[in-house]
Amino acid sequence: AFNQQAWLLQPLTEDRAALDRALAALPGLMAEGTRLDLGLQAGAAALAEVEAPRVKAMVFLTDGLPNRVPTPVAGGTQEDTVLAAAAAARAAGILIQAVGYGREDAPELVDRILPWLLRAIAGPGGGYRETDDAGQLAETFRVLAAELGCVRQPAWP
């Protein structure tokens, strides 16, 4: 999970009850900030020990634009910092599936996403999806779980 910080709520597991407890804790951890760079780094760290034949894949969900992300020392933008973190994750053999929750043209800034940035985060081997509908978001996760081989068909959870 990430906001102005990033952390691992639950190490990789097949224990559904542990996953449900971790997900239930998320609302209490909400805070301002969208440190996409830290989210990518935490996801990459969680996948560092995954070995073949398992697929190193990260589903990267964000609800907005990067903010509070430091710019590169040599100059650049927040997006440059985020893209460097994504490139490092991909260089570690991680497939990134980016999911934007919001709209590029949303009237409120907090509901906006940057599709070009999320496509760039996923890179050439990854994928990008977006929605501003919670029901469609659940379906997106079901489809991704099937595509990544986590389940035999898109019926999870």
Side-chain angles (χ1 to χ4, degrees), residues 13-156:
T13 183
E14 293 181 18
D15 181 343
R16 179 59 191 263
L19 293 172
D20 287 342
R21 284 190 300 275
L23 289 171
L26 281 174
L29 300 169
M30 290 176 49
E32 289 189 18
T34 309
R35 288 291 306 270
L36 301 176
D37 58 321
L38 295 181
L40 288 160
Q41 291 167 4
L47 294 167
E49 303 301 318
V50 172
E51 296 179 2
R54 294 189 182 256
V55 175
K56 283 187 175 189
M58 177 189 319
V59 177
F60 190 68
L61 171 67
T62 180
D63 65 348
L65 309 171
N67 63 60
R68 300 188 184 180
V69 176
T71 57
V73 174
T77 65
Q78 293 184 93
E79 290 82 357
D80 293 328
T81 300
V82 171
L83 292 174
R90 291 192 314 270
I94 297 171
L95 172 70
I96 302 174
Q97 295 289 330
V99 179
Y101 186 70
R103 289 191 352 242
E104 183 175 20
D105 63 349
E108 299 292 326
L109 183 62
V110 297
D111 296 324
R112 290 187 196 156
I113 56 175
L114 280 178
W116 73 264
L117 179 60
L118 295 174
R119 284 185 190 96
I121 287 170
Y128 170 68
R129 292 168 170 84
E130 70 179 64
T131 184
D132 63 349
D133 176 86
Q136 183 58 44
L137 183 61
E139 178 62 18
T140 296
F141 275 97
R142 281 191 280 277
V143 169
L144 282 171
E147 288 178 2
L148 294 170
C150 300
V151 295
R152 293 194 196 324
Q153 57 185 348
W156 179 85

